Amino acid sequence: MSDERLKRTGEVFLVPFENIIVGDEMNVGRIDFGDIKELADSIEENGLRIPILVKKTRGENEYVLVQGKRRYKAIELLIKKGVDIPGVKCFRAPLNYSVENSLFDQ
């Protein structure tokens, strides 16, 4: 997939799990994520239906998680279980997207 295509928002693209970083702003707020195992089982059976939202960092292949920490945690659980996850479905957040936008969206 070309870099030009990844510059546009609103398109789903795959990012290797290890290239997604949970930023400090995602470590505040929600502490109860419900039944992560149930979500992980659903993702394993049906795939990730709603892509997570990420922002591109200045690093070459790194993305910061903006929305979808529960889905991220479920995928992390699957990987620890040994499930092969070739890439995580992501939407790219607009450049001006902020933590406040994320809170409003929720």
Side-chain angles (χ1 to χ4, degrees), residues 12-13 48-53 67-68 71 88-91:
V12 175
F13 62 101
L48 182 63
R49 292 183 178 193
I50 301 172
I52 64 173
L53 187 65
Q67 265 186 16
R71 287 166 277 164
V88 179
K89 288 182 188 176
C90 297
F91 283 127

Side-chain angles (χ1 to χ4, degrees), residues 35-79:
D35 191 348
I36 296 293
K37 184 183 178 323
E38 183 180 344
L39 177 58
D41 291 344
S42 174
I43 292 172
E44 184 175 14
E45 185 176 319
N46 306 306
L48 182 63
R49 292 183 178 193
I50 301 172
I52 64 173
L53 187 65
V54 296
K55 282 182 92 169
K56 181 80 172 84
T57 66
R58 292 187 181 189
E60 188 171 312
N61 291 314
E62 293 181 341
Y63 295 83
V64 175
L65 182 66
V66 176
Q67 265 186 16
K69 190 170 181 184
R70 185 169 184 266
R71 287 166 277 164
Y72 175 91
K73 290 176 116 2
I75 293 166
E76 182 177 49
L77 184 65
L78 289 172
I79 291 170

Side-chain angles (χ1 to χ4, degrees), residues 25-26 53-55 64-67 93-106:
E25 60 274 353
M26 286 300 292
L53 187 65
V54 296
K55 282 182 92 169
V64 175
L65 182 66
V66 176
Q67 265 186 16
L95 293 175
N96 59 350
Y97 198 87
S98 67
V99 174
E100 290 79 19
N101 293 117
S102 180
L103 294 172
F104 181 74
D105 288 346
Q106 293 177 21

